[in-house]
Amino acid sequence: MCGIIGYAGTADNAFSVLLDSLEFLEYRGYDSVGMAIGNREGLAVYKDKGRVNELRKKIENAGIKGNYGIGHTRWATHGGVNKANAHPHQAGKVTLVHNGIIENYQELIERYDLRKKLRSETDTEVVAHVLDHYYDGDALKAIGKMVKELKGTFSFAIIFADQPNAIYAIRTVSPIVMTKTADCSILASDLMSLSSFSNDYYVLPELSILKMTSSEIRVYDLSLNEIELQAKHIDWQVEALGKAGYPFYMEKEMMEEPKAVEDTIKERIRNGLPDFESDALSDEVFEKLHSIMIVACGTARHAGLVAKQLFERVAGIHTEVEYASEFIYNEPNLHQDTLLIAISQSGETIDTLEAIRYAKKQNIRTLAIINVKGSTMSQLVDYPLFTNAGPEIAVASTKAYTSQLSLLYLLVGRAAYVRGTRTKEEVESFISNLQRAPGLMNQVLECKDQIHQIAKEAIDDKSLFMIGRGLDYLSLMEGSLKLKEISYIHSESYASGELKHGPISLIEEGTPVVAAITQDHLVSKSLSNLKEVKARGARVYAFVKESLIGNLDKDIRIIELPNADSDFMVFPTALALQLYAYYVSMEKGYDVDKPRNLAKVVTVE
Ligand code: F6R
């Protein structure tokens, strides 16, 4: 969480570069914003609570000139949302911005006698003082000493008052990437802020110190030996970052979903079978398997729950799914031939990274499904597999989710083929069903107005239930998360059969209930459960596969989904429920892309 940026250039354009880049980073946190801008006369700090465009409006006519600077967009952890707690923080000659959490900051306050000096409630200001304590003109040495004092996760961008036009940085866990052009160097928390400068970039290794000026980028290890970095390449275009005329990124990203799924699977299918040669994932990984442990958070975990059903049923592999945030604290005892599969759009979620580290310590093989190339996770696991969804900017995950599903389906297909739990023909048929998923999703997009209409009926609801069975229940878990995070309606998903074991007591006259009915073998049971809630006065909306509609009572509001094999209905159902959540939020007048209290990249535990 939090986004940081650093810029050193030859022109006096640091102000606009920092503000523009902060807008790209805003999805990481948006309660406060700030920057420090330097020129020949010195360094000035501008910061406030609120969004980047609010700060922009306040200062854009102030004629601010500078050729280097650092910037920050905040997701509050230590201390409330106010100007004093906004970054940058300063102490003596040090000005810095921070992404992460310093766990031992209280201890540092005592050790360095800082209580009376602090002007904010942040852990970050404490670090500025510690660094200033060690700084005697040698920045590399001081940063090296400071970092030995810190416990926690961090990425810092730092300016020293007596070193104009130089930006320093260091990180552990929280990412920093950087790039260089003929007349500037720039660092950021992620690639999106760099892509308008260059398609080549470097990843700052953990606990290495970066020194960046307008003319060069140098990196040192903690013994102050210089390190040579390998350039990497961004493989999407900067145009992918715009809203393309849609009011919100979320809508644009849902419209891109069929293509995102297609781009994720097409290079991994050869002669009708899933093929992971280009990912350097050999069949031996599937052959040796004892079981699979999936770790992920939020939406990514929901993709894992779907995969669990299929790994078990299609590939015959015992599979468990854990919340990454619970995993290490449960101290699981993993069989040596377990494959740990992590799923993460950002590749930076700290809970998921910690789960991977735990598995690695036990010599467990690790595979990750990631959307962001160059992310920390991609460098940590044995087998990084990338979804090709392109940048996902809306906080609510949409195209990343269905792309993750599609990649997981390919893994299921390959595992089933290699382990012989399905014949070659059966796997080919499984894969051709998967290849139809983008078409099914396009059909849903064609009916989006119908979903928009029923979404309007939810805007005054305070609480809503989502019910379904089998894979439908899992799709609704995701739909329910989507609805609550962007519309602020309390929404709960239940396995329909579970209703009568408690939750049905909450159903009364007019209670909204959203159902999904797409699983052929479960239809009669799902319908009985619908009748039970209707009998108690529920207002029912059902997302139903076309071929099953004839089974439903006439007085149920039906949203028709295209026909497909039951195992593949998760694709159109997920998209339909995303559209539903989107329209509810939009109709309520919310900033759909930036729901309150949330951030796109979750780098704190
Ligand atoms: C919900 C959402 C979150 C993320 C979760 C994990 O729409 O986006 O639940 O899925 O924070 O993030 P990643 O996938 O980046 O690890």
Side-chain angles (χ1 to χ4, degrees):
M1 311 181 127
C2 298
I4 68 169
I5 186 94
Y7 173 80
T10 48
D12 263 350
N13 59 352
F15 176 70
S16 59
V17 169
L18 289 178
L19 274 177
D20 293 350
S21 302
L22 284 171
E23 248 154 33
F24 278 131
L25 289 173
E26 206 173 26
Y27 72 98
R28 301 175 72 94
Y30 30 87
D31 59 48
S32 323
V33 58
M35 54 193 183
I37 295 188
N39 57 29
R40 271 155 246 103
E41 277 127 50
L43 193 71
V45 167
Y46 309 90
K47 62 181 187 178
D48 214 338
K49 65 176 187 182
R51 302 268 172 106
V52 177
N53 64 353
E54 293 171 48
L55 184 68
R56 188 191 284 275
K57 276 188 210 136
K58 278 184 209 146
I59 59 177
E60 70 187 341
N61 295 323
I64 298 165
K65 293 239 178 300
N67 60 327
Y68 68 101
I70 53 179
H72 187 265
T73 174
R74 181 169 189 244
W75 187 87
T77 55
H78 293 60
V81 177
N82 56 43
K83 185 171 176 174
N85 290 335
H87 301 211
H89 290 283
Q90 296 186 289
K93 290 200 167 74
V94 172
T95 300
L96 55 75
V97 291
H98 170 214
N99 167 25
I101 284 190
I102 305 304
E103 287 163 11
N104 61 336
Y105 80 108
Q106 290 288 7
E107 226 174 284
L108 295 171
I109 292 176
E110 301 311 324
R111 194 177 316 150
Y112 291 88
D113 196 18
L114 300 178
R115 202 157 288 285
K116 294 208 179 92
K117 296 186 183 160
L118 297 172
R119 283 163 294 176
S120 75
E121 304 154 280
T122 64
D123 49 344
T124 307
E125 192 191 355
V126 173
V127 178
H129 282 277
V130 174
L131 181 55
D132 186 57
H133 171 88
Y134 287 114
Y135 184 62
D136 60 2
D138 187 335
L140 298 181
K141 264 201 192 143
I143 293 172
K145 284 184 182 161
M146 174 245 342
V147 102
K148 290 199 180 105
E149 297 294 287
L150 307 183
K151 286 200 190 110
T153 61
F154 50 82
S155 58
F156 293 106
I158 307 158
I159 294 176
F160 294 92
D162 54 352
Q163 296 197 44
N165 202 19
I167 311 286
Y168 290 85
I170 188 158
R171 75 168 194 108
T172 169
V173 184
S174 309
I176 289 186
V177 286
M178 55 271 180
T179 195
K180 170 97 212 59
T181 68
D183 45 26
C184 76
S185 303
I186 182 155
L187 71 82
S189 298
D190 71 38
L191 290 178
M192 282 188 253
S193 324
L194 303 187
S195 59
S196 56
F197 292 86
S198 166
N199 275 343
D200 290 325
Y201 69 97
Y202 302 92
V203 178
L204 182 65
E206 288 196 67
L207 293 177
S208 306
I209 307 172
L210 167 75
K211 181 181 181 186
M212 186 177 98
T213 63
S214 59
S215 56
E216 60 182 13
I217 284 179
R218 285 176 183 268
V219 177
Y220 305 86
D221 65 19
L222 287 183
S223 310
L224 308 190
N225 303 310
E226 193 164 351
I227 310 171
E228 190 82 24
L229 298 185
Q230 291 288 325
K232 296 174 183 281
H233 195 69
I234 302 176
D235 56 5
W236 37 263
Q237 299 299 312
V238 70
E239 299 80 67
L241 297 177
K243 285 192 203 152
Y246 292 102
F248 293 102
Y249 280 108
M250 184 174 171
E251 184 169 346
K252 175 187 172 236
E253 288 161 6
M254 290 186 294
M255 300 307 284
E256 289 168 348
E257 256 176 88
K259 184 168 184 313
V261 168
E262 196 176 324
D263 289 350
T264 299
I265 62 174
K266 70 179 177 205
E267 305 294 338
R268 295 182 169 111
I269 299 174
R270 199 176 296 170
N271 301 325
L273 290 172
D275 185 294
F276 290 96
E277 209 181 306
S278 59
D279 297 294
L281 178 65
S282 72
D283 284 348
E284 175 256 343
V285 173
F286 300 111
E287 279 156 7
K288 268 196 78 188
L289 269 188
H290 165 269
S291 54
I292 292 176
M293 172 62 80
I294 297 179
V295 288
C297 301
T299 291
R301 179 177 161 275
H302 292 154
L305 290 172
V306 173
K308 169 192 157 69
Q309 273 218 12
L310 291 151
F311 274 125
E312 299 247 359
R313 192 153 43 76
V314 179
I317 304 169
H318 174 67
T319 305
E320 291 182 42
V321 185
E322 283 272 11
Y323 288 105
S325 57
E326 291 287 309
F327 182 71
I328 59 172
Y329 302 105
N330 293 341
E331 298 180 25
N333 187 6
L334 301 168
H335 185 283
Q336 273 309 293
D337 292 324
T338 303
L339 174 68
L340 181 119
I341 300 185
I343 310 170
S344 175
Q345 188 284 131
S346 61
E348 301 295 348
T349 303
I350 190 159
D351 293 318
T352 314
L353 290 172
E354 291 304 327
I356 296 168
R357 290 195 175 103
Y358 177 94
K360 284 187 85 82
K361 272 197 205 129
Q362 301 201 8
N363 294 319
I364 300 297
R365 286 209 251 195
T366 55
L367 178 155
I369 291 179
I370 311 162
N371 194 38
V372 178
K373 304 217 169 105
S375 54
T376 307
M377 201 173 293
S378 68
Q379 285 149 60
L380 190 63
V381 293
D382 302 319
Y383 308 104
L385 302 191
F386 295 99
T387 47
N388 282 328
E392 188 181 69
I393 294 165
V395 164
S397 188
T398 54
K399 61 177 178 171
Y401 172 69
T402 41
S403 301
Q404 287 160 355
L405 284 179
S406 68
L407 191 37
L408 286 159
Y409 272 60
L410 286 178
L411 286 173
V412 168
R414 188 75 204 174
Y417 176 64
V418 170
R419 295 165 71 89
T421 54
R422 289 284 190 272
T423 63
K424 182 167 176 281
E425 291 68 34
E426 283 168 340
V427 176
E428 281 167 353
S429 149
F430 185 81
I431 294 305
S432 68
N433 273 324
L434 179 61
Q435 286 172 308
R436 273 180 222 126
L440 298 173
M441 296 166 87
N442 273 323
Q443 280 176 260
V444 172
L445 290 174
E446 280 160 23
C447 305
K448 64 183 177 23
D449 292 344
Q450 199 197 345
I451 299 175
H452 192 166
Q453 284 313 314
I454 62 136
K456 285 183 186 160
E457 295 177 29
I459 58 176
D460 294 322
D461 289 325
K462 300 277 172 287
S463 181
L464 178 153
F465 296 89
M466 294 205 177
I467 62 169
R469 284 176 172 260
L471 289 177
D472 284 339
Y473 167 49
L474 304 181
S475 297
L476 290 161
M477 285 174 84
E478 173 53 12
S480 177
L481 173 66
K482 214 92 301 173
L483 184 71
K484 62 170 86 86
E485 72 175 316
I486 60 173
S487 76
Y488 316 144
I489 294 175
H490 170 245
S491 158
E492 291 221 48
S493 50
Y494 284 106
S496 318
E498 190 59 22
L499 280 176
K500 48 190 155 311
H501 300 289
I504 203 161
S505 66
L506 294 166
I507 304 290
E508 54 188 22
E509 200 56 42
T511 304
V513 173
V514 172
I517 303 180
T518 74
Q519 303 294 297
D520 297 339
H521 61 299
L522 294 171
V523 66
S524 60
K525 295 209 185 312
S526 295
L527 289 177
S528 308
N529 300 136
L530 273 197
K531 284 192 196 302
E532 288 158 13
V533 292
K534 275 217 67 117
R536 285 157 182 86
R539 213 169 82 225
V540 178
Y541 303 87
F543 289 78
V544 189
K545 177 155 86 172
E546 196 243 285
S547 59
L548 302 178
I549 287 177
N551 299 298
L552 266 78
D553 289 346
K554 297 282 164 283
D555 57 348
I556 288 179
R557 298 289 303 279
I558 291 170
I559 304 94
E560 183 179 311
L561 296 175
N563 283 326
D565 179 286
S566 296
D567 278 348
F568 297 84
M569 284 305 297
V570 288
F571 292 94
T573 311
L575 178 52
L577 291 167
Q578 290 164 0
L579 285 162
Y580 177 69
Y582 171 75
Y583 287 124
V584 175
S585 175
M586 202 183 80
E587 287 294 331
K588 291 180 85 169
Y590 295 141
D591 183 344
V592 181
D593 288 339
K594 296 191 182 105
R596 68 185 177 209
N597 304 338
L598 292 172
K600 182 80 181 158
V601 185
V602 184
T603 54
V604 294
E605 273 192 76

